[in-house]
Amino acid sequence: MRKKKLWIVLTIVVLVAGTGTGIIYSQQAKAQEESRIEAQKAKEAADMLEKQTAEKETKAKNAVAALILMTKKYY
């Protein structure tokens, strides 16, 4: 009878511990996924900023080239 009770208690302890471990792993996986999503958003924002910067540099170079050409035409 005591062994049966002991097995029941041990089984309950293992089930509770297993459930707790499962919850912890689930929360960790969720946190990792959220972190991955945030990193992806940050990368996309950085890429967009880099593209915009390149476009502005190109426009500035084109403006300088146009000014040089205009200056050469008039002098």
Side-chain angles (χ1 to χ4, degrees), residues 26-45:
S26 174
Q27 289 174 343
Q28 182 181 8
K30 184 178 177 183
Q32 286 176 341
E33 179 65 14
E34 289 173 355
S35 177
R36 187 194 64 77
I37 291 169
E38 289 299 319
Q40 180 66 27
K41 287 179 183 178
K43 183 185 179 306
E44 289 171 0

Side-chain angles (χ1 to χ4, degrees), residues 52-68:
Q52 290 173 347
T53 302
E55 289 173 354
K56 288 179 182 178
E57 287 176 357
T58 301
K59 287 179 183 179
K61 288 177 184 178
N62 289 341
V64 169
L67 284 172
I68 290 171

